[in-house]
Short mmCIF file of all heavy atoms in Angstrom, two decimals:
data_model
loop_
_atom_site.label_atom_id
_atom_site.label_comp_id
_atom_site.label_asym_id
_atom_site.label_seq_id
_atom_site.Cartn_x
_atom_site.Cartn_y
_atom_site.Cartn_z
N ASP A 90 -16.75 -8.81 -11.78
CA ASP A 90 -18.17 -8.86 -11.44
C ASP A 90 -18.98 -9.15 -12.70
O ASP A 90 -18.44 -9.35 -13.80
CB ASP A 90 -18.62 -7.59 -10.72
CG ASP A 90 -18.65 -6.36 -11.62
OD1 ASP A 90 -18.56 -6.49 -12.86
OD2 ASP A 90 -18.78 -5.24 -11.07
N GLN A 91 -20.30 -9.17 -12.55
CA GLN A 91 -21.16 -9.58 -13.65
C GLN A 91 -21.21 -8.54 -14.77
O GLN A 91 -21.66 -8.83 -15.87
CB GLN A 91 -22.56 -9.88 -13.11
CG GLN A 91 -22.58 -11.07 -12.17
CD GLN A 91 -23.89 -11.23 -11.40
OE1 GLN A 91 -24.67 -10.29 -11.31
NE2 GLN A 91 -24.11 -12.41 -10.84
N SER A 92 -20.71 -7.32 -14.49
CA SER A 92 -20.67 -6.27 -15.50
C SER A 92 -19.30 -6.14 -16.15
O SER A 92 -19.10 -5.27 -17.01
CB SER A 92 -21.07 -4.93 -14.88
OG SER A 92 -22.37 -4.98 -14.35
N GLY A 93 -18.35 -6.97 -15.71
CA GLY A 93 -17.01 -6.91 -16.28
C GLY A 93 -16.06 -5.99 -15.56
O GLY A 93 -14.91 -5.82 -15.99
N ASN A 94 -16.51 -5.37 -14.46
CA ASN A 94 -15.60 -4.57 -13.64
C ASN A 94 -14.71 -5.49 -12.82
O ASN A 94 -15.08 -6.62 -12.48
CB ASN A 94 -16.39 -3.64 -12.71
CG ASN A 94 -17.20 -2.62 -13.47
OD1 ASN A 94 -16.68 -1.92 -14.33
ND2 ASN A 94 -18.48 -2.54 -13.16
N ILE A 95 -13.52 -5.01 -12.48
CA ILE A 95 -12.57 -5.79 -11.70
C ILE A 95 -12.79 -5.47 -10.22
O ILE A 95 -12.77 -4.30 -9.82
CB ILE A 95 -11.12 -5.44 -12.10
CG1 ILE A 95 -10.92 -5.67 -13.60
CG2 ILE A 95 -10.13 -6.28 -11.29
CD1 ILE A 95 -9.63 -5.09 -14.13
N ILE A 96 -13.02 -6.51 -9.42
CA ILE A 96 -13.21 -6.34 -7.98
C ILE A 96 -11.92 -6.74 -7.28
O ILE A 96 -11.40 -7.84 -7.50
CB ILE A 96 -14.39 -7.19 -7.47
CG1 ILE A 96 -15.66 -6.88 -8.28
CG2 ILE A 96 -14.64 -6.92 -5.98
CD1 ILE A 96 -16.11 -5.44 -8.25
N VAL A 97 -11.40 -5.85 -6.44
CA VAL A 97 -10.13 -6.07 -5.76
C VAL A 97 -10.33 -5.86 -4.26
O VAL A 97 -10.89 -4.85 -3.83
CB VAL A 97 -9.04 -5.09 -6.27
CG1 VAL A 97 -7.74 -5.29 -5.51
CG2 VAL A 97 -8.82 -5.29 -7.77
N SER A 98 -9.87 -6.83 -3.47
CA SER A 98 -9.86 -6.64 -2.01
C SER A 98 -8.46 -6.26 -1.58
O SER A 98 -7.48 -6.85 -2.02
CB SER A 98 -10.33 -7.91 -1.29
OG SER A 98 -9.65 -9.06 -1.75
N ASP A 99 -8.36 -5.21 -0.74
CA ASP A 99 -7.08 -4.67 -0.30
C ASP A 99 -6.97 -4.83 1.20
O ASP A 99 -7.80 -4.35 1.96
CB ASP A 99 -6.98 -3.19 -0.69
CG ASP A 99 -5.58 -2.64 -0.50
OD1 ASP A 99 -5.12 -2.60 0.66
OD2 ASP A 99 -4.96 -2.24 -1.50
N ARG A 100 -5.90 -5.53 1.62
CA ARG A 100 -5.74 -5.88 3.02
C ARG A 100 -5.40 -4.69 3.91
O ARG A 100 -5.77 -4.66 5.08
CB ARG A 100 -4.64 -6.94 3.14
CG ARG A 100 -4.45 -7.53 4.55
CD ARG A 100 -3.55 -8.74 4.45
NE ARG A 100 -3.21 -9.33 5.71
CZ ARG A 100 -4.01 -10.15 6.42
NH1 ARG A 100 -5.21 -10.43 5.95
NH2 ARG A 100 -3.60 -10.69 7.55
N SER A 101 -4.72 -3.70 3.38
CA SER A 101 -4.22 -2.60 4.21
C SER A 101 -5.13 -1.38 4.22
O SER A 101 -5.09 -0.61 5.18
CB SER A 101 -2.82 -2.18 3.75
OG SER A 101 -1.90 -3.23 3.96
N VAL A 102 -5.93 -1.16 3.18
CA VAL A 102 -6.75 0.07 3.17
C VAL A 102 -7.71 0.16 4.36
O VAL A 102 -7.75 1.23 4.99
CB VAL A 102 -7.46 0.23 1.82
CG1 VAL A 102 -8.44 1.40 1.85
CG2 VAL A 102 -6.45 0.47 0.70
N PRO A 103 -8.39 -0.86 4.85
CA PRO A 103 -8.82 -2.09 4.19
C PRO A 103 -10.16 -1.84 3.50
O PRO A 103 -11.03 -1.15 4.03
CB PRO A 103 -8.97 -3.07 5.35
CG PRO A 103 -9.34 -2.20 6.52
CD PRO A 103 -8.75 -0.84 6.28
N ALA A 104 -10.32 -2.44 2.32
CA ALA A 104 -11.51 -2.13 1.52
C ALA A 104 -11.66 -3.12 0.38
O ALA A 104 -10.75 -3.86 0.04
CB ALA A 104 -11.40 -0.71 0.97
N VAL A 105 -12.85 -3.07 -0.23
CA VAL A 105 -13.10 -3.74 -1.49
C VAL A 105 -13.31 -2.65 -2.54
O VAL A 105 -14.12 -1.74 -2.36
CB VAL A 105 -14.33 -4.67 -1.41
CG1 VAL A 105 -14.69 -5.21 -2.79
CG2 VAL A 105 -14.07 -5.82 -0.44
N PHE A 106 -12.55 -2.75 -3.64
CA PHE A 106 -12.60 -1.78 -4.72
C PHE A 106 -13.30 -2.35 -5.95
O PHE A 106 -13.30 -3.56 -6.18
CB PHE A 106 -11.18 -1.42 -5.19
CG PHE A 106 -10.34 -0.60 -4.26
CD1 PHE A 106 -9.67 -1.19 -3.20
CD2 PHE A 106 -10.18 0.76 -4.46
CE1 PHE A 106 -8.86 -0.44 -2.36
CE2 PHE A 106 -9.38 1.52 -3.62
CZ PHE A 106 -8.72 0.92 -2.57
N SER A 107 -13.84 -1.44 -6.77
CA SER A 107 -14.22 -1.75 -8.14
C SER A 107 -13.30 -0.97 -9.05
O SER A 107 -13.07 0.23 -8.85
CB SER A 107 -15.67 -1.37 -8.41
OG SER A 107 -16.01 -1.60 -9.76
N VAL A 108 -12.72 -1.64 -10.05
CA VAL A 108 -11.77 -1.02 -10.97
C VAL A 108 -12.33 -1.09 -12.38
O VAL A 108 -12.72 -2.17 -12.85
CB VAL A 108 -10.40 -1.72 -10.90
CG1 VAL A 108 -9.42 -1.06 -11.87
CG2 VAL A 108 -9.85 -1.69 -9.48
N ASP A 109 -12.34 0.06 -13.06
CA ASP A 109 -12.74 0.10 -14.46
C ASP A 109 -11.60 -0.47 -15.30
O ASP A 109 -10.49 0.07 -15.30
CB ASP A 109 -13.02 1.54 -14.87
CG ASP A 109 -13.58 1.66 -16.28
OD1 ASP A 109 -13.03 1.01 -17.20
OD2 ASP A 109 -14.54 2.41 -16.48
N PRO A 110 -11.83 -1.58 -16.02
CA PRO A 110 -10.73 -2.21 -16.76
C PRO A 110 -10.21 -1.36 -17.92
O PRO A 110 -9.09 -1.58 -18.39
CB PRO A 110 -11.34 -3.52 -17.25
CG PRO A 110 -12.81 -3.26 -17.29
CD PRO A 110 -13.09 -2.32 -16.16
N ALA A 111 -11.00 -0.40 -18.37
CA ALA A 111 -10.58 0.44 -19.50
C ALA A 111 -9.72 1.62 -19.04
O ALA A 111 -8.75 1.98 -19.71
CB ALA A 111 -11.80 0.95 -20.26
N THR A 112 -10.08 2.22 -17.89
CA THR A 112 -9.38 3.43 -17.42
C THR A 112 -8.48 3.20 -16.23
O THR A 112 -7.59 4.01 -15.96
CB THR A 112 -10.40 4.51 -17.03
OG1 THR A 112 -11.16 4.04 -15.89
CG2 THR A 112 -11.36 4.80 -18.19
N GLY A 113 -8.72 2.11 -15.47
CA GLY A 113 -7.99 1.87 -14.23
C GLY A 113 -8.51 2.66 -13.06
O GLY A 113 -7.94 2.59 -11.96
N ASN A 114 -9.59 3.42 -13.25
CA ASN A 114 -10.15 4.20 -12.14
C ASN A 114 -10.64 3.28 -11.04
O ASN A 114 -11.29 2.26 -11.30
CB ASN A 114 -11.29 5.08 -12.63
CG ASN A 114 -10.82 6.18 -13.57
OD1 ASN A 114 -9.63 6.48 -13.64
ND2 ASN A 114 -11.74 6.79 -14.30
N ARG A 115 -10.34 3.67 -9.80
CA ARG A 115 -10.65 2.86 -8.63
C ARG A 115 -11.77 3.51 -7.80
O ARG A 115 -11.69 4.69 -7.46
CB ARG A 115 -9.40 2.70 -7.75
CG ARG A 115 -8.26 2.00 -8.45
CD ARG A 115 -6.96 2.07 -7.67
NE ARG A 115 -6.47 3.45 -7.52
CZ ARG A 115 -5.81 4.13 -8.47
NH1 ARG A 115 -5.56 3.56 -9.63
NH2 ARG A 115 -5.41 5.36 -8.25
N THR A 116 -12.79 2.71 -7.48
CA THR A 116 -13.89 3.17 -6.64
C THR A 116 -14.02 2.22 -5.46
O THR A 116 -14.06 1.00 -5.66
CB THR A 116 -15.22 3.17 -7.42
OG1 THR A 116 -15.09 4.01 -8.57
CG2 THR A 116 -16.36 3.68 -6.54
N ILE A 117 -14.07 2.76 -4.26
CA ILE A 117 -14.25 1.89 -3.09
C ILE A 117 -15.71 1.49 -2.97
O ILE A 117 -16.60 2.33 -2.90
CB ILE A 117 -13.78 2.60 -1.80
CG1 ILE A 117 -12.26 2.76 -1.82
CG2 ILE A 117 -14.22 1.80 -0.57
CD1 ILE A 117 -11.70 3.46 -0.59
N LEU A 118 -15.95 0.18 -2.99
CA LEU A 118 -17.31 -0.35 -2.84
C LEU A 118 -17.69 -0.50 -1.38
O LEU A 118 -18.84 -0.26 -0.99
CB LEU A 118 -17.41 -1.72 -3.52
CG LEU A 118 -17.30 -1.78 -5.03
CD1 LEU A 118 -17.47 -3.23 -5.49
CD2 LEU A 118 -18.35 -0.90 -5.69
N SER A 119 -16.73 -0.93 -0.55
CA SER A 119 -17.05 -1.20 0.85
C SER A 119 -15.83 -0.99 1.71
O SER A 119 -14.75 -1.53 1.44
CB SER A 119 -17.57 -2.64 1.01
OG SER A 119 -18.03 -2.87 2.33
N ASN A 120 -15.99 -0.15 2.73
CA ASN A 120 -15.00 0.02 3.80
C ASN A 120 -15.70 0.72 4.95
O ASN A 120 -16.94 0.80 4.97
CB ASN A 120 -13.76 0.79 3.32
CG ASN A 120 -14.04 2.24 2.98
OD1 ASN A 120 -15.20 2.70 2.94
ND2 ASN A 120 -12.99 3.00 2.73
N SER A 121 -14.95 1.26 5.90
CA SER A 121 -15.58 1.87 7.08
C SER A 121 -16.43 3.08 6.74
O SER A 121 -17.31 3.47 7.51
CB SER A 121 -14.50 2.26 8.09
OG SER A 121 -13.58 3.18 7.50
N ALA A 122 -16.18 3.69 5.58
CA ALA A 122 -16.94 4.87 5.17
C ALA A 122 -17.98 4.56 4.10
O ALA A 122 -18.74 5.45 3.70
CB ALA A 122 -15.99 5.95 4.67
N ASN A 123 -18.01 3.33 3.63
CA ASN A 123 -18.94 2.95 2.56
C ASN A 123 -19.60 1.63 2.92
O ASN A 123 -18.93 0.60 3.01
CB ASN A 123 -18.18 2.78 1.24
CG ASN A 123 -17.58 4.07 0.74
OD1 ASN A 123 -18.22 4.83 0.03
ND2 ASN A 123 -16.33 4.33 1.12
N GLY A 124 -20.91 1.69 3.14
CA GLY A 124 -21.65 0.51 3.53
C GLY A 124 -21.74 0.37 5.03
O GLY A 124 -20.91 0.89 5.78
N SER A 125 -22.76 -0.34 5.47
CA SER A 125 -23.00 -0.56 6.90
C SER A 125 -22.50 -1.93 7.31
O SER A 125 -22.14 -2.76 6.48
CB SER A 125 -24.49 -0.44 7.20
OG SER A 125 -25.22 -1.44 6.50
N GLY A 126 -22.47 -2.16 8.63
CA GLY A 126 -22.08 -3.46 9.15
C GLY A 126 -20.71 -3.43 9.78
O GLY A 126 -20.01 -2.41 9.78
N THR A 127 -20.29 -4.58 10.32
CA THR A 127 -18.97 -4.71 10.93
C THR A 127 -17.88 -4.34 9.93
O THR A 127 -17.93 -4.76 8.78
CB THR A 127 -18.75 -6.15 11.42
OG1 THR A 127 -19.78 -6.48 12.36
CG2 THR A 127 -17.40 -6.31 12.09
N ASN A 128 -16.91 -3.54 10.36
CA ASN A 128 -15.85 -3.11 9.45
C ASN A 128 -14.83 -4.21 9.20
O ASN A 128 -14.57 -5.04 10.08
CB ASN A 128 -15.13 -1.88 10.02
CG ASN A 128 -15.99 -0.64 10.02
OD1 ASN A 128 -16.89 -0.50 9.19
ND2 ASN A 128 -15.74 0.25 10.95
N PHE A 129 -14.25 -4.19 8.01
CA PHE A 129 -13.08 -5.03 7.75
C PHE A 129 -11.93 -4.59 8.66
O PHE A 129 -11.81 -3.42 9.03
CB PHE A 129 -12.58 -4.86 6.31
CG PHE A 129 -13.57 -5.21 5.24
CD1 PHE A 129 -13.85 -4.31 4.22
CD2 PHE A 129 -14.22 -6.43 5.23
CE1 PHE A 129 -14.75 -4.63 3.22
CE2 PHE A 129 -15.13 -6.76 4.24
CZ PHE A 129 -15.39 -5.84 3.22
N ILE A 130 -11.07 -5.56 9.01
CA ILE A 130 -9.82 -5.23 9.70
C ILE A 130 -8.63 -5.71 8.86
O ILE A 130 -7.76 -4.93 8.49
CB ILE A 130 -9.77 -5.85 11.11
CG1 ILE A 130 -10.91 -5.28 11.97
CG2 ILE A 130 -8.42 -5.55 11.77
CD1 ILE A 130 -10.96 -5.86 13.37
N LEU A 131 -8.61 -7.00 8.54
CA LEU A 131 -7.55 -7.56 7.71
C LEU A 131 -8.17 -8.49 6.65
O LEU A 131 -8.03 -9.71 6.72
CB LEU A 131 -6.54 -8.34 8.57
CG LEU A 131 -5.67 -7.51 9.51
CD1 LEU A 131 -4.84 -8.44 10.40
CD2 LEU A 131 -4.74 -6.58 8.73
N PRO A 132 -8.85 -7.91 5.67
CA PRO A 132 -9.44 -8.76 4.62
C PRO A 132 -8.34 -9.46 3.83
O PRO A 132 -7.32 -8.85 3.49
CB PRO A 132 -10.22 -7.78 3.76
CG PRO A 132 -9.55 -6.46 3.98
CD PRO A 132 -9.07 -6.48 5.40
N VAL A 133 -8.55 -10.74 3.56
CA VAL A 133 -7.53 -11.54 2.88
C VAL A 133 -7.79 -11.62 1.39
O VAL A 133 -6.98 -11.21 0.56
CB VAL A 133 -7.44 -12.95 3.48
CG1 VAL A 133 -6.38 -13.77 2.76
CG2 VAL A 133 -7.14 -12.89 4.97
N THR A 134 -8.93 -12.17 1.04
CA THR A 134 -9.25 -12.35 -0.38
C THR A 134 -10.76 -12.48 -0.50
O THR A 134 -11.49 -12.42 0.49
CB THR A 134 -8.54 -13.59 -0.96
OG1 THR A 134 -8.67 -13.58 -2.39
CG2 THR A 134 -9.09 -14.88 -0.38
N HIS A 135 -11.24 -12.66 -1.73
CA HIS A 135 -12.68 -12.72 -1.93
C HIS A 135 -13.01 -13.53 -3.17
O HIS A 135 -12.17 -13.77 -4.03
CB HIS A 135 -13.27 -11.31 -2.07
CG HIS A 135 -12.89 -10.66 -3.38
ND1 HIS A 135 -11.72 -9.97 -3.54
CD2 HIS A 135 -13.50 -10.63 -4.60
CE1 HIS A 135 -11.63 -9.53 -4.79
NE2 HIS A 135 -12.70 -9.92 -5.45
N LYS A 136 -14.27 -13.96 -3.23
CA LYS A 136 -14.87 -14.54 -4.42
C LYS A 136 -16.31 -14.01 -4.47
O LYS A 136 -16.77 -13.39 -3.51
CB LYS A 136 -14.88 -16.07 -4.37
CG LYS A 136 -13.49 -16.70 -4.38
CD LYS A 136 -12.80 -16.58 -5.71
CE LYS A 136 -11.33 -17.02 -5.64
NZ LYS A 136 -11.14 -18.41 -5.24
N GLN A 137 -17.00 -14.28 -5.57
CA GLN A 137 -18.39 -13.85 -5.69
C GLN A 137 -19.31 -15.05 -5.84
O GLN A 137 -18.94 -16.06 -6.44
CB GLN A 137 -18.54 -12.90 -6.87
CG GLN A 137 -17.86 -11.55 -6.62
CD GLN A 137 -17.88 -10.65 -7.83
OE1 GLN A 137 -17.03 -10.76 -8.70
NE2 GLN A 137 -18.85 -9.77 -7.87
N ASP A 138 -20.51 -14.92 -5.23
CA ASP A 138 -21.47 -16.01 -5.37
C ASP A 138 -22.34 -15.77 -6.60
O ASP A 138 -22.15 -14.80 -7.35
CB ASP A 138 -22.30 -16.16 -4.09
CG ASP A 138 -23.19 -14.96 -3.78
OD1 ASP A 138 -23.44 -14.12 -4.68
OD2 ASP A 138 -23.66 -14.87 -2.62
N ALA A 139 -23.29 -16.66 -6.83
CA ALA A 139 -24.09 -16.60 -8.05
C ALA A 139 -24.96 -15.35 -8.12
O ALA A 139 -25.35 -14.93 -9.21
CB ALA A 139 -24.96 -17.85 -8.15
N SER A 140 -25.25 -14.75 -6.96
CA SER A 140 -26.06 -13.53 -6.92
C SER A 140 -25.23 -12.27 -7.06
O SER A 140 -25.79 -11.16 -7.07
CB SER A 140 -26.86 -13.48 -5.61
OG SER A 140 -27.73 -14.59 -5.49
N GLY A 141 -23.92 -12.42 -7.14
CA GLY A 141 -23.05 -11.27 -7.26
C GLY A 141 -22.57 -10.70 -5.96
O GLY A 141 -21.82 -9.72 -5.94
N ASN A 142 -23.00 -11.30 -4.83
CA ASN A 142 -22.49 -10.85 -3.53
C ASN A 142 -21.00 -11.18 -3.44
O ASN A 142 -20.53 -12.20 -3.94
CB ASN A 142 -23.25 -11.53 -2.39
CG ASN A 142 -24.70 -11.15 -2.38
OD1 ASN A 142 -25.06 -9.98 -2.44
ND2 ASN A 142 -25.57 -12.16 -2.32
N ILE A 143 -20.25 -10.30 -2.79
CA ILE A 143 -18.81 -10.47 -2.66
C ILE A 143 -18.51 -11.11 -1.31
O ILE A 143 -18.85 -10.56 -0.26
CB ILE A 143 -18.09 -9.10 -2.78
CG1 ILE A 143 -18.48 -8.42 -4.10
CG2 ILE A 143 -16.58 -9.27 -2.68
CD1 ILE A 143 -18.13 -6.96 -4.15
N LEU A 144 -17.92 -12.31 -1.33
CA LEU A 144 -17.60 -13.05 -0.12
C LEU A 144 -16.16 -12.78 0.24
O LEU A 144 -15.26 -13.02 -0.58
CB LEU A 144 -17.84 -14.54 -0.33
CG LEU A 144 -19.23 -14.93 -0.83
CD1 LEU A 144 -19.32 -16.43 -1.07
CD2 LEU A 144 -20.32 -14.47 0.12
N VAL A 145 -15.91 -12.26 1.44
CA VAL A 145 -14.58 -11.81 1.85
C VAL A 145 -14.17 -12.51 3.13
O VAL A 145 -14.92 -12.50 4.11
CB VAL A 145 -14.56 -10.28 2.07
CG1 VAL A 145 -13.16 -9.81 2.45
CG2 VAL A 145 -15.08 -9.54 0.85
N THR A 146 -12.98 -13.10 3.14
CA THR A 146 -12.43 -13.63 4.39
C THR A 146 -11.61 -12.55 5.08
O THR A 146 -10.94 -11.74 4.45
CB THR A 146 -11.52 -14.85 4.14
OG1 THR A 146 -10.55 -14.52 3.15
CG2 THR A 146 -12.34 -16.04 3.68
N ASP A 147 -11.69 -12.53 6.42
CA ASP A 147 -10.92 -11.58 7.23
C ASP A 147 -10.31 -12.36 8.38
O ASP A 147 -11.02 -12.96 9.19
CB ASP A 147 -11.83 -10.47 7.78
CG ASP A 147 -11.05 -9.31 8.39
OD1 ASP A 147 -10.21 -9.57 9.28
OD2 ASP A 147 -11.28 -8.15 7.99
N ASP A 148 -8.95 -12.39 8.43
CA ASP A 148 -8.29 -13.23 9.42
C ASP A 148 -7.74 -12.45 10.60
O ASP A 148 -6.88 -12.94 11.33
CB ASP A 148 -7.18 -14.06 8.77
CG ASP A 148 -5.97 -13.22 8.35
OD1 ASP A 148 -6.08 -11.99 8.31
OD2 ASP A 148 -4.91 -13.82 8.04
#
Side-chain angles (χ1 to χ4, degrees):
D90 70 12
Q91 295 168 342
S92 300
N94 296 308
I95 304 168
I96 306 300
V97 177
S98 50
D99 191 296
R100 186 168 175 80
S101 295
V102 173
V105 172
F106 289 81
S107 176
V108 180
D109 186 314
T112 65
N114 293 344
R115 298 169 297 281
T116 303
I117 291 179
L118 293 181
S119 187
N120 67 351
S121 59
N123 295 272
S125 62
T127 302
N128 291 332
F129 300 128
I130 298 179
L131 291 173
V133 179
T134 191
H135 71 274
K136 295 289 171 61
Q137 291 174 277
D138 65 16
S140 299
N142 296 311
I143 304 165
L144 306 177
V145 182
T146 52
D147 192 306
D148 71 346

